[in-house]
Amino acid sequence: MIVVTGATGNVGSALVRELAAAGEKVVAVSRGEKPIDLPEGAEHRRADIGDLDSLAEAVAGARALFLLITGPQLVEGPAPAEVLKAVAAAGVQRVVFLSSQGAVTRPGSDGYARSIAFEQALAASDLEWTVLRPGGFFSNTFAWIEPVRAQRTIPAPFGNVGLPQVDPGDIAAMAAAALREDGHTGQIYTVTGPELVTPRRQADALADALGESLRFVELTREQARENMLRFMPASVADHTLDIIGEPTPEEQLISGDVEKVLGRPATSYAEWAARVAPAFR
């Protein structure tokens, strides 16, 4: 059995579908705050990583765990070593942890301290572990759904700054491989898209996918921060803006790890936009 935390998110939901399609027995874990649509054969269990008793109960009987921290857990919560001790005591042998590229490119940032601590705790444990370090997600542009529908506009800061953002589906596929296959223990994979893409180019790709004209509206950093604070802690918003506004050379590198693990190129933003275009209509 494989347990997927964060099962209502863009990566977790895709991972649950991928594992179920492969015939795995899957338990989708969430805090129960959002409706969850599960594929046939998948089971839902309610738990919170911040509540170790509920987490241990949710993973009981599992051999592998996809571990994701989000929201408040990005900056606070039980010590990572205690989290891993709890899941190991419940029978988990393998953990795939969704970290962030910023854990290595911005190690001094408060927003990445917990991810770094989880990576270190995994390395010191007796578990089989794999770490995935993605950059920005294509799905972050779902924030444009409302302005696209209402005003045919795309508001974003730093319109000409390119980053190798990634399809959450590719992250899910990488996680599925590491959860199901041998040969990934102790590996740290950098997960990026196949090219640098700017917000303006994303706007153009989305307009092409929709078959209509969209107007790009460049936001100031302050305007973007105000929007982001509605769904993430301030420290996370600040370091995210640092990355998308002034990326380091390392943060603009294109990794070959997706193709290495999956045997195919990473998905482009244009391909992703064509797939999800109905959500913007």
Side-chain angles (χ1 to χ4, degrees):
M1 184 172 79
I2 299 175
V3 171
V4 177
T5 61
T8 59
N10 291 298
V11 175
S13 58
L15 177 55
V16 169
R17 292 192 298 271
E18 180 132 354
L19 292 172
E24 297 287 351
K25 183 178 180 182
V26 188
V27 171
V29 171
S30 75
R31 294 191 295 269
E33 296 171 355
K34 297 179 182 177
I36 184 164
D37 183 19
L38 294 176
E40 185 176 352
E43 174 190 352
H44 178 245
R45 294 180 185 174
R46 185 171 179 173
D48 190 324
I49 293 172
D51 179 348
L52 295 186
D53 289 338
S54 74
L55 179 63
E57 188 174 332
V59 303
R63 62 179 174 82
L65 168 68
F66 174 72
L67 182 60
L68 177 151
I69 57 173
T70 187
Q73 288 297 320
L74 288 167
V75 293
E76 61 185 7
E82 293 302 311
V83 175
L84 299 180
K85 181 180 177 181
V87 300
V92 170
Q93 300 170 25
R94 177 176 295 183
V95 174
V96 175
F97 176 60
L98 185 61
S99 184
S100 171
Q101 191 179 27
V104 67
T105 62
R106 310 264 175 165
S109 170
D110 290 343
Y112 294 114
R114 288 273 288 170
S115 293
I116 293 169
F118 267 98
E119 289 193 17
Q120 292 171 341
L122 281 166
S125 76
D126 293 328
L127 292 160
E128 300 174 15
W129 59 268
T130 306
V131 170
L132 305 180
R133 290 178 179 161
F137 295 4
F138 291 162
S139 53
N140 291 344
T141 61
F142 279 142
W144 298 342
I145 288 176
E146 185 177 338
V148 166
R149 288 176 175 174
Q151 302 167 329
R152 295 298 182 264
T153 62
I154 290 183
F158 314 120
N160 295 317
V161 179
L163 286 165
Q165 295 181 344
V166 64
D167 179 357
D170 286 351
I171 303 171
M174 294 275 284
L179 289 163
R180 300 182 67 226
E181 303 168 1
D182 293 329
H184 301 285
T185 298
Q187 296 297 308
I188 299 175
Y189 295 121
T190 300
V191 191
T192 74
E195 60 187 347
L196 297 180
V197 60
T198 68
R200 289 185 186 276
R201 284 186 58 200
Q202 288 177 319
D204 290 341
L206 187 55
D208 289 343
L210 292 171
E212 58 184 271
S213 178
L214 299 174
R215 180 169 61 92
F216 184 83
V217 178
E218 182 134 6
L219 300 180
T220 65
R221 180 186 173 108
E222 291 72 25
Q223 290 170 324
R225 185 177 190 272
E226 184 178 350
N227 289 340
M228 294 166 75
L229 289 178
R230 292 182 296 175
F231 54 89
M232 65 176 65
S235 62
V236 178
D238 289 335
H239 75 238
T240 300
L241 288 165
D242 289 342
I243 290 174
I244 66 176
E246 298 182 53
T248 66
E250 190 173 8
E251 287 163 348
Q252 292 187 302
L253 290 176
I254 297 164
S255 168
D257 284 350
V258 170
E259 187 160 9
K260 174 184 174 182
V261 172
L262 301 182
R264 61 163 176 80
T267 305
S268 70
Y269 184 81
E271 291 169 326
W272 179 86
R275 191 174 78 230
V276 305
F280 290 84
R281 292 195 168 98

